[in-house]
Amino acid sequence: MVRIAMVAGEASSDQLAAHLITALKRHLPEAQFYGIGGPKMQREGFDSLWPAEMLAVRGYAEVLRHYRAITRMRRQLLRRLLQDKPDVFIGVDGSDFNLWLEKRLKARGIPTIHFVSPSIWAWRKNRMSRIVESVSHILALYPFEPELYRGTPVKCSYVGHPLADVIPLEIDRRAVREQLGVAQERPVIALLPGSRQSELHFMAETFIETAKLLLQRHPQLQFLVPLVSRETRLQFETALWKLKADEMPFTLMFGHAAEAVAASDAVLVASGTATLETALVGRPMVIAYKMSPWSWRLMRGMRYLPWVGLPNILAGRYVVPEFLQDEATPENLAQALGNLLADRPARAAIARVFAGIHRLLRQNTAQKAADAVLPYLQKA
């Protein structure tokens, strides 16, 4: 039996991996998938040996608080994989955790595939030597990434982004609003403060204060707030109560971020995969991000691209505004969102740029990724 080990700790990684499992099972219906993965992977038959939530922390300060538990889990997983070797190991994003594993597995002759190129183009280009010694093959989501690996022993295949395959090229806003019960005539802003508890810790209150300012200037506004878990919903509700905003026109949703974005006129979104999803839905946005001061000082020192938002990186210019750390104030965010609401031609121009990004990333990603993995499983 073909045995494929995988690790995916984030919600976005869980989705990527689930699509890949589905595609691989078309060719290898009896294959066994195991390691660390989330609910979407588990619905595809994946056997998760530890909860994926243990890996869903971001920022140096946050990782340090969980360092012992994470390293203990990683050592235990390595021992298990070396004792009972898989035919291939696929690390899905999470490079700090996965590259460590991949280096040791590759040294023992196990092919290692890393799905999602580490962001050497944005933050830490000096990690290339670590990637070379750890990874057999990179599956890249973005078209500019294979060139980064030219001249190295690491194979790199551009496979596109699965969200571009899943999200339609055109979405009927009126139909989505009708489905969600949102009034057609009201202006709507979607608030996406993040998928992790650590993100809401730093951003929930800022997003709510931004909404307060916007409501003063646009009394008819409605806010849609998709949240991924009971924990993050409780965090947001607690922030609403603390800021005496629980009577404001917020509609809190479990998941359905794509629908909330599709129903909106503009989006306030935490930097990350959600910015790409918003672009693929075709809605203008303001990007914000805050983390612990210590984490920010470290990250700022390693940054060399002028942008952090994926839509701006893919466009190679500022298509939408970004406000990071101390600049992510309610006043700045409300002003930028208000500008978008007032400028219909600007919103249309942004949508045209996003449509081009959508077509570029629409590559039937799951099948392309499976095609890259299958040669490593021929012997098995």
Side-chain angles (χ1 to χ4, degrees):
M1 177 185 292
V2 173
R3 304 177 69 251
I4 300 169
M6 306 176 78
V7 170
E10 301 282 351
S12 57
S13 305
D14 180 36
Q15 185 171 13
L16 282 172
H19 289 152
L20 177 56
I21 291 170
T22 301
L24 286 169
K25 285 169 71 173
R26 295 192 195 106
H27 301 272
L28 303 165
E30 301 302 319
Q32 178 185 0
F33 297 87
Y34 65 101
I36 301 175
K40 292 180 181 177
M41 295 167 69
Q42 291 171 42
R43 283 196 288 271
E44 297 298 327
F46 184 86
D47 181 15
S48 189
L49 308 176
W50 283 271
E53 291 79 11
M54 293 181 67
L55 300 182
V57 292
R58 172 175 280 191
Y60 290 99
E62 291 73 29
V63 169
L64 281 176
R65 281 200 294 271
H66 299 86
Y67 180 77
R68 288 188 177 181
I70 291 171
T71 53
R72 186 186 312 116
M73 177 176 62
R74 187 169 59 181
R75 287 194 300 268
Q76 291 172 348
L77 177 59
L78 176 64
R79 282 197 297 270
R80 178 154 183 168
L81 295 179
L82 291 177
Q83 289 168 1
D84 190 10
K85 291 184 178 181
D87 297 297
V88 69
F89 175 85
I90 304 173
V92 187
D93 209 358
S95 55
D96 288 319
F97 186 95
N98 282 323
L99 288 175
W100 185 95
L101 268 178
E102 289 160 356
K103 177 181 177 180
R104 287 150 181 81
L105 296 173
K106 185 180 178 183
R108 297 293 188 93
I110 299 171
T112 53
I113 297 174
H114 199 86
F115 193 2
V116 181
S117 172
S119 301
I120 54 177
W121 38 268
W123 298 100
R124 290 185 279 184
K125 199 163 186 175
N126 60 350
R127 284 196 300 179
M128 180 60 83
S129 59
R130 186 180 176 202
I131 295 169
V132 168
E133 65 184 2
S134 304
V135 179
S136 308
H137 200 137
I138 293 280
L139 306 180
L141 303 187
Y142 305 116
F144 57 81
E145 292 177 311
E147 182 64 29
L148 301 173
Y149 294 92
R150 189 181 300 276
T152 77
V154 178
K155 294 180 181 178
C156 183
S157 302
Y158 170 52
V159 298
H161 202 293
L163 283 176
D165 296 323
V166 172
I167 296 173
L169 288 170
E170 294 185 9
I171 298 177
D172 186 339
R173 190 197 326 259
R174 293 188 65 86
V176 178
R177 286 195 176 193
E178 185 174 345
Q179 174 190 340
L180 296 179
V182 175
Q184 298 290 348
E185 67 280 1
R186 290 185 70 172
V188 174
I189 288 182
L191 303 179
L192 279 65
S195 60
R196 306 173 188 83
Q197 291 176 258
S198 59
E199 289 175 321
L200 268 78
H201 173 75
F202 289 106
M203 288 189 287
E205 292 187 14
T206 296
F207 276 42
I208 293 167
E209 293 285 12
T210 300
K212 279 186 171 182
L213 291 176
L214 282 165
L215 202 60
Q216 291 172 11
R217 304 166 195 173
H218 305 274
Q220 296 302 311
L221 267 176
Q222 181 170 350
F223 300 93
L224 302 179
V225 190
L227 298 160
V228 301
S229 66
R230 294 184 184 278
E231 291 77 15
T232 53
R233 180 179 177 123
L234 178 60
Q235 276 183 283
F236 199 85
E237 288 176 334
T238 301
L240 286 174
W241 177 82
K242 178 181 177 182
L243 297 173
K244 298 180 173 58
D246 46 324
E247 298 300 321
M248 288 176 58
F250 288 99
T251 300
L252 273 55
M253 306 161 64
F254 274 121
H256 301 289
E259 290 86 348
V261 170
S264 71
D265 296 288
V267 182
L268 177 58
V269 56
S271 180
T273 303
T275 63
L276 180 64
E277 185 171 13
T278 300
L280 295 174
V281 174
R283 299 297 181 261
M285 73 189 86
V286 173
I287 298 171
Y289 207 78
K290 299 173 80 170
M291 58 181 70
S292 74
W294 189 69
S295 294
W296 171 247
R297 284 195 294 271
L298 287 171
M299 294 293 281
R300 184 175 55 182
M302 291 183 293
R303 174 185 169 198
Y304 70 91
L305 278 183
W307 325 280
V308 300
L310 283 167
N312 290 334
I313 291 170
L314 287 163
R317 62 186 176 89
Y318 278 108
V319 179
V320 294
E322 300 177 357
F323 296 95
L324 309 178
Q325 204 64 7
D326 294 339
E327 294 182 353
T329 64
E331 293 76 16
N332 286 344
L333 300 176
Q335 181 65 52
L337 285 162
N339 292 344
L340 285 177
L341 287 175
D343 195 339
R344 186 184 295 270
R347 296 201 305 271
I350 291 169
R352 287 194 293 271
V353 174
F354 288 170
I357 290 173
H358 198 156
R359 289 190 293 271
L360 182 66
L361 299 181
R362 199 176 177 89
Q363 296 287 324
N364 192 8
T365 295
Q367 188 54 56
K368 279 196 171 182
D371 291 341
V373 172
L374 286 170
Y376 294 94
L377 301 170
Q378 286 176 346
K379 292 182 181 179

